[in-house]
Amino acid sequence: GGERSLVFALPEHRIEFIKYRRRVVWHKGSRTDLVFGSTGQCRIQEVVATYAEWEEDRAAALRRARARASRALSRSLGGKPAGREALAAFGRRVGRVNAGELTAAALAEEALSPAYFGADGDGGGGEPSAGEEKAPVAA
């Protein structure tokens, strides 16, 4: 007969990460261990007890990141409101990747460049360096 226990069904060397709800509590590659605390971090009991606080902090960080990206896109469009225009401009760049006119690496480099998010990363829209295209501007 076959084993009925999940413990025997999963080879441990195949496990890459374990989550508690949305939070990664064990990750092989980054050596994160919030289950047993073997790396000096907290243990699973603390993760469970503080999960609501962690989720609230995570949601606040996402809101800040979205607001920052919206400001940056707005500035890259010459002060026009971000939103559909910004997404359309970015969509056209992705279309160039799909058509083979631009590599994915070039798009990523461009999107992370000062042309999109400014030299200080706050959306100031710095000038691109030589050979670098400017951020798309919606017509």
Side-chain angles (χ1 to χ4, degrees):
E3 290 291 338
R4 293 187 180 257
S5 173
L6 184 62
V7 173
F8 295 112
L10 289 174
E12 289 181 26
H13 70 281
R14 297 274 186 179
I15 300 171
E16 295 294 322
F17 66 90
I18 299 172
K19 283 184 165 187
Y20 171 73
R21 295 186 182 173
R22 292 183 178 204
R23 186 172 184 182
V24 174
V25 294
W26 187 89
H27 190 276
K28 182 179 5 181
S30 68
R31 301 183 65 90
T32 299
D33 180 7
L34 303 179
V35 177
F36 304 106
S38 65
T39 57
Q41 299 166 325
C42 64
R43 297 177 66 162
I44 193 68
Q45 294 88 342
E46 188 177 337
V47 169
V48 172
T50 61
Y51 183 78
E53 180 182 326
W54 175 86
E55 180 121 75
E56 191 175 296
D57 290 345
R58 180 178 167 271
L62 284 172
R63 283 191 301 273
R64 286 191 305 272
R66 286 183 184 127
R68 184 175 172 201
S70 179
R71 283 191 310 274
L73 286 171
S74 178
R75 288 180 183 168
S76 74
L77 291 171
K80 295 179 185 174
R84 289 185 185 158
E85 296 174 51
L87 289 176
F90 189 74
R92 287 191 294 276
R93 303 302 283 170
V94 171
R96 288 190 58 206
V97 171
N98 291 337
E101 299 170 9
L102 185 68
T103 66
L107 175 65
E109 185 176 325
E110 180 180 309
L112 296 172
S113 75
Y116 275 88
F117 294 104
D120 58 0
D122 73 348
E127 286 299 313
S129 60
E132 197 176 353
E133 290 184 30
K134 283 192 156 199
V137 177

